[in-house]
Amino acid sequence: MFERLAAIQEKYEELTEKLSTPEVLADYNTLKKLSKEQKDLEETYLKYKEYQKVENNIKEAKELLNDPEMGEMAALELEESQAKKETLTHELEILLIPKDENDDKDIIMEIRGAAGGDEANIFAGDLFRMYSRYADTQGWKIDVINSEPGTAGGYSQIEAKIKGENVYSKLKYESGSHRVQRVPVTESNGRIQTSTATVLIMPEVEDVEIDINPNDLRIDVYCATGHGGQGVNTTPSAVRITHLPTNTVVTCQNERSQLQNKAQAMAVLKARLYQAEQEKQDALVGNERRSKIGTGDRAEKIRTYNYPQNRVTDHRIGYTTNTLDRVMDGDLNGIIEALITEDLQRKLKGE
């Protein structure tokens, strides 16, 4: 562990020197690349510097233990420093866990009404509102790419891009089937019904990460439907892209121009193809998937929202909270922190 930390310290300080040279300062791409590399190491570097300072404090306190005047104070300092050292050691262990390369990326979120007809679509709308409110608390920005409203409210399908700091790292555990238990507004006899909506979280990918042959695409344009402002419904601005080798279909109609819709649709297509490739690789490694918090598959039932008992339960980690009203209003911090903590604990155990 400490060999790795020493190597990180050496690398960080080497990057600091490079970033101050005229050659690097004059080359924007190199400056950007090295700055990101240094930023990725910064938290671990600073934590290790703090650890080294505490180590030094322990050494000095031990030397003063037998001093008639300073011994008592040194003993207190030693106790405090040893406790801090233990805490810092654990924090460094966590920081050295290999990070998900997608954690700092923006995402594309897709929510669909599943089992339950109109109620499933209404619930899909409730989930989108929940994530939108959570995004607001994080200072993230949401742009709707495509939406298909349900006949009784909500959405049969909605896709949105969420941009901000560390979006994927916090929302990556949300993929799966979400189940709601409540009396639907469409139920006249007051019976509790169980319905589901599915959530898919995909990291937005750069051009360099996935290469799409233009000859593999069929692009159709048509007039957008629904709300969109004057002219949107009378001009062919909506775009449908079909990736022929995989039969993946993406549509976008929320932007005003055909060019904007095409760019958004391509971003979704790249994310979907990247996600499919990731799932294929995960399937190949087999047992490695077991250490993850869920499989990330759309069919996996991950959470139940029980309205009569104001309860939310995440089935993957056995987490339950009786604050459903607050959760649906965007207070997802408790659930997300529990998922992140469980993921870290599993990785620390090497599961």
Side-chain angles (χ1 to χ4, degrees):
M1 169 175 159
F2 290 101
E3 286 178 3
R4 290 174 65 194
L5 288 168
I8 287 170
Q9 180 177 5
E10 184 180 348
K11 183 65 176 177
Y12 184 91
E13 291 170 355
E14 178 188 317
L15 287 166
T16 301
E17 287 183 23
K18 283 184 179 179
L19 285 165
S20 63
T21 61
E23 295 83 8
V24 171
L25 291 170
D27 185 339
Y28 174 76
N29 289 330
T30 302
L31 180 66
K32 183 180 177 183
K33 178 176 176 286
L34 295 182
S35 295
K36 184 184 184 306
E37 195 175 338
Q38 187 190 50
K39 189 177 187 322
D40 290 342
L41 299 175
E42 188 170 56
E43 187 178 2
T44 306
Y45 171 79
L46 294 175
K47 190 70 69 177
Y48 185 43
K49 294 292 284 184
E50 189 179 353
Y51 177 90
Q52 290 173 319
K53 184 179 178 181
V54 169
E55 278 268 82
N56 191 54
N57 290 344
I58 289 172
K59 183 181 176 183
E60 291 177 353
K62 284 181 177 178
E63 290 173 355
L64 292 171
L65 279 177
N66 296 322
D67 187 291
E69 295 180 1
M70 303 291 291
E72 190 175 339
M73 188 180 296
L76 287 172
E77 173 69 23
L78 181 61
E79 186 179 348
E80 288 177 10
S81 294
Q82 285 176 331
K84 192 168 186 181
K85 177 184 175 181
E86 189 176 329
T87 300
L88 287 169
T89 300
H90 180 66
E91 290 174 349
L92 284 167
E93 285 174 345
I94 291 173
L95 286 170
L96 287 176
I97 293 172
K99 291 184 179 177
D100 187 329
E101 62 182 14
N102 295 318
D103 274 352
D104 61 351
K105 291 182 179 176
D106 298 334
I107 68 160
I108 291 169
M109 169 186 283
E110 177 190 282
I111 304 176
R112 293 188 183 192
D118 287 339
E119 167 65 1
N121 294 341
I122 292 169
F123 180 49
D126 293 339
L127 288 176
F128 180 68
R129 176 180 174 274
M130 176 185 78
Y131 289 122
S132 298
R133 296 220 166 174
Y134 176 68
D136 288 342
T137 68
Q138 302 298 305
W140 299 339
K141 182 184 177 185
I142 293 189
D143 292 322
V144 174
I145 296 171
N146 187 57
S147 61
E148 298 175 14
T151 54
Y155 302 97
S156 61
Q157 179 176 338
I158 183 166
E159 292 162 321
K161 183 185 293 185
I162 305 182
K163 298 182 283 188
E165 187 174 352
N166 298 320
V167 180
Y168 185 77
S169 70
K170 293 186 177 179
L171 292 182
K172 63 183 176 182
Y173 307 107
E174 296 302 298
S175 288
S177 178
H178 295 241
R179 182 172 64 174
V180 63
Q181 295 173 326
R182 64 185 177 188
V183 178
V185 292
T186 54
E187 171 61 56
S188 58
N189 296 321
R191 292 175 297 187
I192 294 174
Q193 180 177 316
T194 299
S195 303
T196 60
T198 60
V199 175
L200 182 62
I201 303 295
M202 300 173 285
E204 188 176 23
V205 295
E206 304 294 334
D207 288 341
V208 294
E209 293 178 272
I210 187 161
D211 185 34
I212 298 176
N213 186 340
N215 295 324
D216 290 339
L217 302 178
R218 186 178 72 234
I219 301 175
D220 303 307
V221 295
Y222 56 98
C223 293
T225 58
H227 303 292
Q230 186 176 0
V232 171
N233 308 114
T234 57
T235 58
S237 60
V239 173
R240 180 189 300 109
I241 300 178
T242 304
H243 184 247
L244 300 172
T246 61
N247 199 32
T248 303
V249 181
V250 173
T251 60
C252 182
Q253 61 175 352
N254 280 58
E255 300 295 341
R256 289 183 174 273
S257 78
Q258 185 184 122
L259 195 63
Q260 289 173 313
N261 280 324
K262 182 181 177 183
Q264 291 279 41
M266 282 299 296
V268 176
L269 178 62
K270 288 174 184 175
R272 284 191 180 172
L273 295 178
Y274 179 82
Q275 180 78 5
E277 184 60 32
Q278 288 291 102
E279 289 174 2
K280 193 186 298 181
Q281 290 177 13
D282 284 341
L284 289 173
V285 296
N287 290 339
E288 187 180 325
R289 289 187 70 83
R290 295 176 191 168
S291 68
K292 297 181 179 179
I293 302 294
T295 64
D297 294 336
R298 192 197 299 274
E300 181 190 17
K301 289 184 174 62
I302 65 167
R303 196 173 297 152
T304 294
Y305 303 75
N306 185 297
Y307 274 71
Q309 297 179 27
N310 199 39
R311 184 181 70 225
V312 180
T313 299
D314 193 290
H315 305 293
R316 297 164 296 178
I317 60 173
Y319 177 90
T320 295
T321 176
N322 291 100
T323 58
L324 180 142
D325 52 338
R326 297 211 297 267
V327 168
M328 297 309 294
D329 205 34
D331 186 4
L332 287 169
N333 288 320
I335 296 173
I336 288 172
E337 285 172 11
L339 288 162
I340 291 172
T341 299
E342 176 67 18
D343 194 21
L344 284 173
Q345 287 175 349
R346 292 185 187 187
K347 287 174 179 174
L348 280 171
K349 291 176 184 176
E351 292 182 0

